[in-house]
Amino acid sequence: MARGGRLRSGASAKLKRWRKGHSSDSNPETRQHRLAARSRFCSRPAEKSNLTVDAVKLHNELQSGSLRLERTSDSAQVRMEEDGAAEAATEKSSGTFLSGLSDCTNATFSKVQRFWESNSAAHKEICAVLAAVTEVIRSRGGKETETEYFAALMTTLEVVESPESMAAVAYLLNLVLKRVPSPVLIKKFSDASKTFMGIVSSQACSSSTSALRWVLSCLATLLRKQDLAAWSYPVTLQVYHGLLSFCVHTKPKVRKAAQHGVCSVLRGSEFMFGDAAPEHHPAASSTAKFCVQEIEKAGGTKEATTTLHVLALLRDLLPCFPAVVVKTCCETLLRVMTLSHVLVTACAMQAFHSLFSAQASVACLPAELNAQIITALYDYVPSTSDLQPLLTWLSTMERAHVNLGRLQKDLCWAHLPRLFSAAMNCFLSPHSQVVAAAARTLETLLSECIAPHMGDLGTVSASAPAPAAYLCKMFRSVEEGLTYRFHAAWGEVLRVLEVFFETCGKQCHPIMKKCLQSLCDLRLSPHFPYTAEVDQAVGAAVSTMGPGVVLEAVPLDIDGTEETLDFPRSWLLPVLRDYVQGARLGFFTSYFLPLAAALKSRALEFTQAGKSMEAKIYDTLQWQVWTLLPGFCTHPTDVLEAFKGLARTLGMAISERPDLRPTVCQALRTLIHKGCRTDAERAEVGRFAKNFLPILFNVYSQPEEDGGSNAQRRSVLDTVRAYLTITDPQMVCGFLQKASLRLTSPESSEFARLSILDLVVAMAPYADEQSLDSLYRTIQPSLQSKERSMQKKAYRVLEEVCAAPHAPCQAFVRSHLQELQAALLDSLKSVASPAKRPRLKCLLHIVKQLSAEHEPFITALVPEVILCTKEVSVGARKNAFILLVEMGHAFIRFGPTPQEGMERFLLLVYVGLTGSVTMISCTVLALTRLFFEFKDHLELSVVEQLLQNICLLLASRTRDVVKAALGFLKVTLLLMDTKLLAKHVQGMLEAVGNLSDDMRRHFRMKLRNLLTKFIRKFGFELVKGLLPAEFHKVLVNLRKAEARNRKQRALRQAAASASEEEAPLAQPRGESMEEILADSEDEEEELEEQKRGKEGRKQAWQKGQAWLKEGEEDEPLNFLDPNVSQRVLATKPGPKRARGVSHDFQVSEDGRLIIRDEEEEMHNEDQGADEEMVDVLQDVGLRSKKSQKRRFREEPDDEEPEAGSYPQYKAGGSGIHRQLNKEAAFGAEYRSKKGKGDVKKKGQLDPYAYIPLNRSKLNRRKRVKMQGQFKGLMKGAQRGAKAGRRSRLRAQRS
């Protein structure tokens, strides 16, 4: 090779690999083309050559495409016989060589069209035959149906002689036979089968297999189309047996075609899908007999090639046989497996696996036969050191038991304990793959065979009769995995136990208590590495058995009277918190509440005694106990009975215990949302609203010292909202009335009034119409209040009322629509900036309900909405753009047509262009958003007029106006079609070119992005010609940058694709049937099969050989041992090298993984796709900035901070926003303040300088350079030491 290094992607598959030690050879084996070329060059050919002057001329004309001619060569001429008269099918006529193919109207041959430009002779022959047959059919007035093609091709098949033409005709017949009507094939079966069988017999020993394989496919299709009555004739079975005999052919392609044909006949015959379909194909029994005979004939030979071929056929056919035949075949398979031939055993296991995976009917595989096969397969358990056979055996046994469970549950359960015991032995295997496969097998059996039937069992005890006794045996087998013998596989054993607890814990908890104790003892052992797995297993037990059963088996051992502070079982509290659900709420009341009270009292005792550490420990424990309450409130089973006994305690905790308030509020919300599943349960919990809501109201209305932090107040408010969903509306109206009185009370402080308004916002959607009317009268003065917070809260109340889906709220809005419009217009001048967000949201909900007569109200709102598009608040800007779009939809709704409605609305917006500078820039932003949303409803003249006005605004001296106008141009370039925009490109570029120097300098980046889009859309030369000369340098720079960016993108894509297409790691050599019998798809290699015969047999022998595992230590191998078959290994014993772990992450040059955040990748994609549009879309409210996007995603836009909460500023950025308290660099404390280098510090470690390790420095050629670095380092250290010694001497002398 001319150049070393890595090949480009895809090249490795095209190169011929050298064998080890033969890289210096030049074509060591395949020299046939070179020899052929040498013979032609050095000597004259013996036979007459077809290379003539006319042939060369014809070839040149065909290659140039200037000639379309009929076929005149004798070798290419295809003749047919039809109706007893022979005539030329491609006589010289107006047709051409491929005229029949190029315009063939039958869709059956659409697959042939891809052969037109192929260089293969076989493909060209297929095209020629199809063209000739098509021309003949047309010349006789045919309609090119499948039947006509079938008749013509059958006639052609009888007269062709060359193997190439025969293969081409057979290929076309194979295509058309699938579409020929079944009655035609039934009627012509005798003639067609006779022709096919004649060709099969003549081509059976031929060196070329193309014709034979396609004729076999035709035979299979012909047999598949026959009806049930035809299979009673001996002729049909004779033809089928002829096809069947080729399933053991020596040529791979022939054998593959025959096996595929036999499978299609037995499984896909048309009569098998009718109403009166038989259970099995009539030829199934004879097929099974053939397979058994072939296996018995060749099963004992050393090569066993025929046996492997038949086993591959049985793998697909076993589910199609009747039960009697299946039993015979299975007995034969088991006998063959006794030979201990590795490949035969593997293929037989695959046949059993396919039989069980097919989920055959009882007529094919009865439950008794399934059970007998399971019992027989235990005699063929591979050794635990034999990787691949043991994996196959486990998979087969898993499918066998799953299928048996589907057929008969009791019989399956009776066989499961033995498999559980055998699978647990696999946990002792040295191969991690075997351990993982055994664990997966047990988990699958538990989920598919055990779990569906657990509901039929009662409580299972150790002395329970069958089938519960089988379950006890299975659990004991898995429980034995906790002994030290299995310590290497404890992780997988614990996962199996977790699935066991999830599946059977509810019924089997009496027999699982001992296992729970063992798990907890294991977790307390020092340096136990599987604590997370134990927590998950115990958590699964908590979820299914309930906390009462688990705590009975493994008590907490915490009661508040401990003499020491060692709580060995305290780890159970977080496990209970994370996994408890569906438990009894009464158990928390009876067990955990007294425990929490005892722990709290013990903490108070320690506090009074001055022991703060002990008090803190007990206080933490009682808090952990309380954190269990939300889990107990998740789908509890006794809400009706237990909640009334718990409600008083919860109310006292909310009012008196600020530390427990968030936990108790979360528990109440969980109970309402996830615990109250019936109307009775909702009514029971809602019955205590008269107790809980006043407590929550009082807590929320208290100042921050007593009411807790902002997070606690938000939690209380969320709980109020949740409780209101199950509260009686009349009670809500009563609370609302009391809140209104407190609002108007002069004794209420500002904090109290703001808190009450928050509560009113929560209650308003659940009030009736009369209460809403009274509430509206109460808050109406606050809409014009000078106190910003009060005004904002009042608008929030109005917003909630307008947005609520409840009938009373909607009725109130409809009845007070005129009044609401007047109030909102009157308060327009006095609205404060913080109140604009809820005000705009309120207007949005009102505009949605307006009709055409309310158009003046919308007209009056237009200036306010336009100005709000530049409001300081992000939420206000967002709501302003949404309201603007909704107003546009309203005008479209008003009509009379969408275009006229939008035109009227735009006229109202245009007025803003005559206002102040701020109004003009806001109007341009509004027009940009409207153009983006309603471009399909705008007429072309309106768009052109709008574009002209925006171009005029580019001449403004105000930066805000120019910025908004440039944004509109970017959106225009994005949305408008190039043809429509072409007539305005000159005006747009002239307006851009007339920008003043100050504007060009200030908006240079925006102009670069805009000009880039112009260049992409209209080309560099056009843009350069329409812009003044001072822009030309920028344009050239942009062109270079674009070319550079394109090149970098291409390189990045190539690098990404190359990393995805990296060669996979070397897999262990497989020993499955497909890998051993894989056939080559290259037809040229068939000629070399005889040359490679010996080498192939040698490789097959090497793959088929087995190893004997000697006895342990000095113990001799006992060949009379019944388990001696486990000593025959398919895998060579000995240590295996660990394979590397593949991952999908990129790796940097120094070996570190590069893991990108998903959001970062999305941002990079957006930036690469259209980065200059991001800022424009942000300006018109279509996209938020990254930090804003995250904030809006984490909390809804409607939420707002409570009274007294203000956002905290965080430093970040550059300039005055830079972070001042940066973390010091590593080793900065040793840096000298006066000079360079590090200094020693008293009482600290000495500073050191290290040379970074680099693998490339191990190279011999770089050794000298490395030595030089060390020498320089040592010299520098010596100089520093000498200087330090001199300075110390001077100090001593002085």
Side-chain angles (χ1 to χ4, degrees), residues 698-711:
N698 292 333
V699 169
Y700 189 77
S701 302
Q702 291 172 359
E704 229 175 89
E705 299 81 36
D706 303 323
S709 63
N710 289 331

Side-chain angles (χ1 to χ4, degrees), residues 189-259:
F189 174 74
S190 178
D191 299 335
S193 60
K194 183 178 179 181
T195 303
F196 289 149
M197 292 302 293
I199 295 175
V200 165
S201 60
S202 63
Q203 295 288 324
C205 300
S206 175
S207 59
S208 176
T209 61
S210 298
L212 183 57
R213 59 189 288 209
W214 295 124
V215 171
L216 290 176
S217 297
C218 294
L219 262 179
T221 307
L222 187 64
L223 289 169
R224 191 156 46 89
K225 295 279 188 175
Q226 302 306 306
D227 55 6
L228 183 59
W231 286 93
S232 60
Y233 305 141
V235 178
T236 309
L237 289 175
Q238 184 180 359
V239 173
Y240 173 74
H241 288 150
L243 173 66
L244 187 61
S245 63
F246 282 89
C247 291
V248 292
H249 198 273
T250 55
K251 295 295 182 67
K253 293 184 179 180
V254 176
R255 183 175 64 250
K256 188 175 181 179
Q259 290 184 356

Side-chain angles (χ1 to χ4, degrees), residues 867-904:
L867 283 174
C868 286
T869 57
K870 276 205 167 183
E871 192 61 42
V872 176
S873 169
V874 178
R877 294 201 300 269
K878 180 181 176 182
N879 291 343
F881 283 115
I882 295 175
L883 178 56
L884 194 68
V885 173
E886 187 59 40
M887 292 163 72
H889 286 297
F891 270 88
I892 291 176
R893 196 168 62 244
F894 297 162
T897 63
Q899 288 76 15
E900 293 181 7
M902 277 307 302
E903 193 170 351
R904 287 206 318 277

Side-chain angles (χ1 to χ4, degrees), residues 429-729:
S429 172
H431 301 286
S432 59
Q433 299 99 313
V434 173
V435 177
R440 284 196 304 271
T441 297
L442 295 182
E443 292 170 10
T444 303
L445 293 174
L446 285 170
S447 59
E448 296 190 22
C449 298
I450 304 297
H453 308 288
M454 286 306 298
D456 303 334
L457 293 179
T459 303
V460 177
S461 60
S463 59
Y470 302 136
L471 209 55
C472 296
K473 292 181 181 178
M474 287 184 268
F475 185 74
R476 288 195 199 100
S477 298
V478 180
E479 188 180 9
E480 189 184 354
L482 295 179
T483 58
Y484 187 76
R485 192 161 61 108
F486 295 89
H487 73 281
W490 270 347
E492 298 292 342
V493 173
L494 290 171
R495 272 190 279 274
V496 176
L497 279 174
E498 178 186 350
V499 178
F500 225 126
F501 289 148
E502 290 176 354
T503 306
C504 315
K506 190 174 183 180
Q507 291 84 6
C508 301
H509 58 82
I511 65 173
M512 294 179 173
K513 291 182 180 179
K514 183 181 176 183
C515 180
L516 285 173
Q517 295 171 359
S518 302
L519 286 177
C520 295
D521 294 341
L522 266 181
R523 196 187 189 282
L524 294 177
S525 58
H527 308 294
F528 183 67
Y530 302 107
T531 54
E533 286 80 359
V534 171
D535 290 350
Q536 291 175 3
V538 176
V542 170
S543 299
T544 53
M545 303 179 194
V549 176
V550 175
L551 291 175
E552 182 182 351
V554 282
L556 273 175
D557 294 337
I558 300 174
D559 55 4
T561 61
E562 295 83 7
E563 296 181 358
T564 63
L565 297 180
D566 185 18
F567 304 101
R569 297 272 176 84
S570 60
W571 60 271
L572 279 171
L573 288 174
V575 173
L576 288 168
R577 179 197 63 205
D578 294 338
Y579 289 95
V580 66
Q581 61 176 351
R584 289 176 48 250
L585 200 56
F587 181 75
F588 182 85
T589 307
S590 61
Y591 184 90
F592 285 107
L593 276 184
L595 177 60
L599 294 174
K600 184 63 178 176
S601 62
R602 189 72 187 274
L604 291 175
E605 291 176 5
F606 280 118
T607 303
Q608 294 171 359
K611 300 179 179 180
S612 58
M613 187 185 73
E614 290 84 350
K616 182 65 176 176
I617 291 174
Y618 274 98
D619 198 40
T620 303
L621 282 175
Q622 68 90 24
W623 175 78
Q624 285 185 325
V625 170
W626 272 101
T627 56
L628 305 181
L629 182 57
F632 278 92
C633 292
T634 304
H635 307 303
T637 58
D638 57 345
V639 175
L640 297 176
E641 298 82 11
F643 185 70
K644 55 189 175 185
L646 184 63
R648 179 180 176 83
T649 307
L650 297 183
M652 293 177 61
I654 292 174
S655 58
E656 299 174 4
R657 298 284 302 277
D659 57 328
L660 299 180
R661 194 173 292 154
T663 303
V664 176
C665 287
Q666 180 189 357
L668 282 176
R669 293 196 301 271
T670 305
L671 183 64
I672 293 169
H673 294 314
K674 298 181 180 180
C676 300
R677 288 168 288 184
T678 63
D679 293 337
E681 291 174 344
R682 280 190 287 270
E684 175 66 19
V685 179
R687 187 165 63 88
F688 293 89
K690 63 180 182 296
N691 307 105
F692 279 107
L693 285 178
I695 295 174
L696 293 169
F697 290 164
N698 292 333
V699 169
Y700 189 77
S701 302
Q702 291 172 359
E704 229 175 89
E705 299 81 36
D706 303 323
S709 63
N710 289 331
Q712 286 193 6
R713 298 185 76 246
R714 181 177 287 274
S715 176
V716 170
L717 187 59
D718 291 340
T719 309
V720 169
R721 288 196 180 104
Y723 226 116
L724 286 170
T725 59
I726 58 172
T727 306
D728 183 29

Side-chain angles (χ1 to χ4, degrees), residues 370-385:
N370 193 334
Q372 290 172 5
I373 297 174
I374 289 175
T375 305
L377 286 176
Y378 280 108
D379 296 333
Y380 303 95
V381 182
S383 169
T384 55
S385 302

Side-chain angles (χ1 to χ4, degrees), residues 716-853:
V716 170
L717 187 59
D718 291 340
T719 309
V720 169
R721 288 196 180 104
Y723 226 116
L724 286 170
T725 59
I726 58 172
T727 306
D728 183 29
Q730 294 301 322
M731 191 180 298
V732 175
C733 294
F735 288 134
L736 202 57
Q737 186 177 2
K738 294 178 182 178
S740 300
L741 292 176
R742 289 195 61 185
L743 273 177
T744 56
S745 173
E747 299 177 357
S748 300
S749 63
E750 181 183 0
F751 180 86
R753 286 201 299 271
L754 292 175
S755 301
I756 291 170
L757 274 174
D758 285 334
L759 297 173
V760 169
V761 169
M763 289 188 288
Y766 304 97
D768 57 16
E769 190 173 354
Q770 184 179 358
S771 300
L772 289 175
D773 183 67
S774 174
L775 177 64
Y776 176 68
R777 306 299 173 200
T778 305
I779 67 166
Q780 190 173 8
S782 300
L783 295 177
Q784 301 184 18
S785 173
K786 293 183 179 180
E787 297 180 9
R788 296 187 170 190
S789 300
M790 287 294 295
Q791 187 184 103
K792 179 180 179 180
K793 301 291 184 185
Y795 275 110
R796 284 284 292 118
V797 173
L798 206 56
E799 176 194 344
E800 287 295 326
V801 173
C802 294
H806 303 96
C809 295
Q810 294 181 351
F812 169 79
V813 173
R814 285 194 298 269
S815 60
H816 293 72
L817 194 58
Q818 298 291 342
E819 194 173 349
L820 287 172
Q821 294 179 24
L824 290 172
L825 288 178
D826 292 341
S827 61
L828 175 60
K829 296 180 181 180
S830 59
V831 63
S833 180
K836 287 185 178 180
R837 184 178 72 170
R839 172 185 169 86
L840 290 170
K841 206 69 176 288
C842 181
L843 289 171
L844 173 65
H845 295 298
I846 291 177
V847 167
K848 289 181 179 179
Q849 303 184 26
L850 296 181
S851 55
E853 63 267 13

Side-chain angles (χ1 to χ4, degrees), residues 270-282:
E270 290 186 351
F271 63 82
M272 296 293 292
F273 302 99
D275 297 333
E279 291 184 352
H280 305 284
H281 198 280

